[in-house]
Amino acid sequence: MSDESPNAKQKRVDSGITRRTFLGMSLGTGATLFAGGSATILGADSSTATSPVTNPTWQLGGDLPVNRLGFGAMRITGEGIWGWPPDRNNALKVLKRAVELGVNLIDTADAYGPETSELLIAEALHPYPKGLVIATKGGLTRPGPGSWVPNGRPEHLKQAVDGSLKRLRLDRIDLYQLHTVDRKVPMEASLGALKEMQDVGKIRHVGLSNVEPEEIERARKVLPIVSVQNQYNIENRKSENVLVYCEKKSLGFMPWFPIGGGRGLKPDNALERAAKARGASVVQVALAWLLERSPVMLPIPGTSSIAHLEENVAAAAIKLTPAEWKAIDALAS
């Protein structure tokens, strides 16, 4: 799952870098901006060369380089994550714009729509540009609007993988994630089905979603796990233990609802002050905080708006001061 940013206007990304300038650079250099150019933009020197903000890429599974700020394709569907979007052409434009801006990690699921998110991705981007990683998920079904029902039965997951392959027009899915653990089915049975699909070449890497560290440990006894997708943002850090586990095991951590923090914070908080100090939006600073929180963090903010998409992507160029980061970090307590 992912989150849509509120309607906030950005004046500049950082001192001396306007939104127009950033977007111009991103279009001129493409993914290069994320892969290495941001270190120059942010004025990084050798003493900070290993910090997350100057390491904007991550090797997913050890062999798939992705830009750490991705795109969540949940909200390109209809209201309530159900059906087709009211403006289908706009959804296609958002997806194309994401790739133009250098995003090369797009996260989706068969439950988004259901199926419509995957279909829109293929319609907008196939044949896919080299290096684009599409991550999808299975294991949650949608009997109706607002309804999310786990189904981890092996036969269902095998059908789900085949369905995603067909809709996405792929021969192999780079990252297939178990959307949730079905408490009615042994997790080992669910993952065993995914291992079978991996063994026959239909899945490259496997990830988990909505899990605890002990469940990741169980899963890794069945097959290699390369990523985890749990809810995590400035306010909600219930998965802090999962993030720490991912750091220790070098697993990518994809926070869903990454910009959900801030709604319950008091006015004039550290997040707002940092945003005002650099003429950025609260959403951008929240994303910048996540990127600096951990080198394994792979935020996937989602939106159905091109303006919000551009705003989110521009957050990759923001570098918080140590004092700002610590003040924002303290908001959780």
Side-chain angles (χ1 to χ4, degrees), residues 247-299:
E247 290 174 332
K248 290 180 179 179
K249 303 298 183 180
S250 295
L251 307 180
F253 184 86
M254 301 166 67
W256 62 263
F257 205 31
I259 49 181
R263 291 175 174 82
L265 301 177
K266 296 179 180 179
D268 194 31
N269 56 67
L271 188 64
E272 291 186 355
R273 289 194 295 271
K276 290 178 182 178
R278 61 195 63 246
S281 71
V282 168
V283 165
Q284 289 176 310
V285 174
L287 287 171
W289 180 86
L290 282 172
L291 289 169
E292 294 188 43
R293 165 62 186 85
S294 170
V296 307
M297 189 80 74
L298 308 174

Side-chain angles (χ1 to χ4, degrees), residues 82 141-149:
W82 187 262
T141 60
R142 303 294 305 282
S147 181
W148 303 75
V149 178

Side-chain angles (χ1 to χ4, degrees), residues 185-204:
V185 179
M187 186 172 67
E188 288 77 6
S190 300
L191 292 169
L194 297 186
K195 186 177 187 304
E196 288 183 37
M197 303 303 269
Q198 186 179 49
D199 289 343
V200 297
K202 295 183 177 182
I203 296 173
R204 184 169 186 169

Side-chain angles (χ1 to χ4, degrees), residues 1-4 70-85 91 95 105-122 134-149 156 160 163-164 167-168 175-180 208-210 228-231 254-258 298-303:
M1 300 181 181
S2 53
D3 183 37
E4 180 177 1
F71 176 74
M74 183 176 78
R75 295 190 180 275
I76 60 171
T77 61
E79 184 177 355
I81 325 303
W82 187 262
W84 293 99
L95 289 163
L105 172 61
I106 296 179
D107 178 77
T108 185
D110 62 1
Y112 299 163
E115 302 183 357
T116 52
S117 177
E118 292 180 329
L119 290 169
L120 286 167
I121 289 170
I134 298 175
T136 192
K137 298 180 287 292
L140 270 181
T141 60
R142 303 294 305 282
S147 181
W148 303 75
V149 178
H156 169 75
S164 290
R167 287 185 292 273
L168 290 167
L175 176 61
Y176 194 87
Q177 305 154 96
L178 182 64
H179 209 153
T180 192
L208 303 172
S209 184
N210 302 308
V228 175
Q229 186 173 155
N230 277 19
Q231 183 176 10
M254 301 166 67
W256 62 263
F257 205 31
L298 308 174
I300 45 171
T303 180

Side-chain angles (χ1 to χ4, degrees), residues 8 49 53 61 63 66 86 111 152 161 171 178 180 191 217 235 241 263 267 279-280 286 302 304 319 330:
V53 76
D63 62 357
V66 295
V161 170
D171 296 321
L178 182 64
T180 192
L191 292 169
E217 281 288 327
E235 281 191 276
N241 60 336
R263 291 175 174 82
S304 59
K319 182 179 180 181

